[in-house]
Amino acid sequence: MDKPVTELNKTASKAPSIRKKKKLVLVGTPNVGKSVIFNLLTGTYVVVSNYPGTTVEVARGTGKIGQEVYEVIDTPGMYSLFPITEEERVTRTLLLTEKPDIVIHVVDAKNLERMLPLTLQLLEAGLPVILAVNMMDEAEVLGRTIDLDALAKALNIPVVGTAAAQNRGIDQLKRMVSDFVRKHVA
Amino acid sequence: MSGSMSPDGLIIQYDETIEKALNNIVKLLKARYNFSKRMIALLLLQEDEEITQLAKLREADFPQIFSIIQQTKSKYKDPLRYVITLQCRQRTDQILSGVITDSKKETRLQSWLDHITINPITGIPILLIVLYFGLYKFVGEFGAGTLVDLIEGNFFENYINPWVNQVTAKLIPWHSIQTLIAFDYGIITLGLRYAVAIILPIVATFFLAFSLLEDSGYLPRLALLVDRLFKKIGLNGRAVIPITLGFGCDTMATLVSRTLETKRERVIATLLLALAIPCSAQLGVIMALLSANPASLGIWAGFVILVFLLVGYLAAQLMPGEKPAFYMELPPLRLPKLSNILEKTLSRMQWYFLEIIPFFILASVLIWVGKITGLFDAIINAAAPLMYALGLPSEAAEIFLFGFFRRDYGAAGLYDLQNSGALNGVQLVVSAVTLTLFVPCIAQFAIMIKERGWKTGLAIGCFVFAFAFLCGIILNLLLRSLGVTL
């Protein structure tokens, strides 16, 4: 009974520490700035291809964060771990089979209340999650303040505020990724 | 793997029944997954297809798991998916209660605006004001009136058409080819003139108004306002976008109806667009015709609205498929950016030009062929009894025939007919109603077939054709037997 789900999983679960590239997956609903963050994290070499057997596009790139080289994956928009659309199904399959080392959930600060349920679901699935609260600048303009420390405490995961379009908070996000992965491996 | 999550620090504590079910399922799960067993159990409880398949294959104890799921389901009257989602939301609210602070001033103004746009008592008057200024004043009077007069009345009538007619007459010796290019039904003098001088200003002003409403965040509020009404006709509030767009161009609206969620909604929206939503070009001409007599305008509007609701209601009763649910995010109301609006309007106009102009030219050519071969005269003669049933002179058949090539060709033909004094008030209303309901124009018909497939597209076309005349006949009988004079 104790068979892993896929071949990929087999190699991953046997020797996670030997894998050269760590896998970083960006998830979130459409239009929260995932792709902007993806572009900031990756270099110029990006492959956009259809996910096997679907028409849904998944972008994969490589980026160096701290001392580590990561494979960065930009997933199709997802509202919930309970999929309705083909895009959501692809993203969940990807999370279920590819064994990410780190999952960055990108949310829109203006609509945090609608997006946090997915964070909770990702955590319940036992995934290694960092929460990036994006579009902080727009939320501030609307008169919204978010206590990120309190949120991090409540969720017990790293939380970072960003305004990716202005390149704000990206360095902090990278630092958090490095710290997180170091702690996780150790 | 799944052990990376600490078992005691629960992220969400569900109610007792669900927690018990989850614990029991987790105990029975023996295979390894990349998700925690608790999440697998949660997905199984919510009857996720993929995960259920996976578990069926890999869990020896699946029958027991299955019976736990069934037992748990029977304890709630709502689907478990709904119950679980709700509890997840509650947990979210609880977490965020101390985290988010929204400054009061903004929110109060916003919630007040939300309230008055969504509440029917204030929302409907606001909608009427928006329609009056946005649609009637700006599109109807400014676009269809001032701008059309300027471009078509001045530019084309005085400069382009005489020049084209003259040049064609000089260069081309054959009369039949001359009429293909110039004179009453030529490609340039009719097809292009219509596209550039009449339709373009109307569509441009409409798209400008529409983009403004779209960017201000008003449309989702309108969607919420009409949601209850739309549910009765098998749609939901989301359909307000294609339906409103239909008042600009039904062809584009039919294309946009693909954003609706279920096939059922898409078919109903396509049907209603083809039948009861007049496009801006048609609307402009019909308004101009009927507005001289408010009673006529009232009868026309009332009857068309009635048909819209009745057919929608019947379609919703008869069509199989899921009833629509409605969930739409309400973005904040905001001041639209001029540059974005202009960009949107321009790209829509560009689309319109590229997609629609070929059909205008095609329509001109087909009309030319029909005239030359005598096919039109034959059809018009054959349609005489139908016109008689509508209480209309036989010349009116030409209007309906042209109406298929462009809805507004028909409406414009009606204009000519009325100017010549051939129609009385009742006849005018009957023909305006029939023409509004009558078959979509050739471009819309093509898009209907492209989007909905041959069978559905053709079925809708045939239904609209028959139903429009039926409605016209009924209205004619009704008005006459009541002795209405307009």
Side-chain angles (χ1 to χ4, degrees), chain A residues 1-5 9 13 79-84 89 92-93 95-99 109 111-114 116-127 141-148 150-151 154-155 184, chain B residues 1-2 4-5 10-12 14 30-36 38-40 42-43 46-51 54 57-60 81 88-89 91-93 95-96 98-103 106 110 327 329-330 332:
Chain A
M1 263 294 93
D2 224 12
K3 263 191 296 180
V5 179
N9 179 13
S13 57
Y79 292 92
S80 143
L81 264 193
F82 194 105
I84 295 172
R89 218 164 286 135
R92 192 180 72 177
T93 307
L95 288 173
L96 196 54
T97 57
E98 297 213 8
K99 181 70 183 144
N111 294 303
L112 186 56
E113 49 278 60
R114 276 197 294 106
L116 203 67
L118 179 59
T119 319
L120 300 184
Q121 288 178 347
L122 293 168
L123 287 171
E124 278 209 304
L127 293 163
V141 171
L142 290 175
R144 164 169 283 198
T145 45
I146 299 173
D147 186 345
L148 296 170
L151 187 58
L155 295 172
H184 234 66
Chain B
M1 305 191 69
S2 49
S4 64
M5 201 191 89
L10 289 182
I11 312 292
I12 305 172
Y14 294 98
K30 297 284 160 27
R32 290 210 297 183
Y33 304 86
N34 274 342
F35 284 178
S36 68
R38 183 176 163 89
M39 180 45 89
I40 298 293
L42 267 169
L43 290 167
Q46 295 172 82
E47 295 178 291
D48 182 280
E49 247 174 73
E50 222 177 315
I51 301 296
L54 198 67
L57 283 173
R58 304 176 60 210
E59 299 295 344
R81 179 163 185 213
C88 180
R89 288 257 167 87
R91 176 76 180 117
T92 307
D93 292 344
I95 291 175
L96 288 179
V99 170
I100 295 180
T101 331
D102 286 317
S103 72
E106 289 265 344
Q110 290 231 332
Y327 172 73
E329 44 189 276
L330 269 190

